[in-house]
Amino acid sequence: VSGVEAEAAAGAVARVGLPFVVSFVTSRDARLLTGEALAEVVARVLPHRPAAIGVKCLSCCDVPSALDALLSC
């Protein structure tokens, strides 16, 4: 999922008032597979007030950088 897709989906769900969770697949250096920085994408999704944001399908070696990116938002 790209940042644009995540932002659009989050906005659509938020408009109807349903709770939602957003989860991203990240690669090394806390970037989505599209190359977008996780922190930048999360910053665009946060205004839609997700119940949670997570990362998935990443190597355990890449977890620290992903968590740092999430905590920076």
Side-chain angles (χ1 to χ4, degrees):
V1 172
S2 73
V4 171
E5 292 169 323
E7 187 177 10
V13 175
R15 280 191 294 279
V16 296
L18 295 173
F20 66 97
V21 172
V22 180
S23 183
F24 297 100
V25 176
T26 59
S27 62
R28 207 162 274 166
D29 73 359
R31 293 195 170 273
L32 275 58
L33 300 181
T34 59
E36 298 165 280
L38 176 61
E40 292 173 7
V41 173
V42 168
R44 295 195 330 249
V45 171
L46 278 176
H48 300 292
R49 305 192 55 166
I53 295 178
V55 291
K56 60 185 179 184
C57 304
L58 66 159
S59 164
C60 60
C61 297
D62 298 332
V63 170
S65 63
L67 290 178
D68 286 345
L70 290 174
L71 290 171
S72 74
C73 296

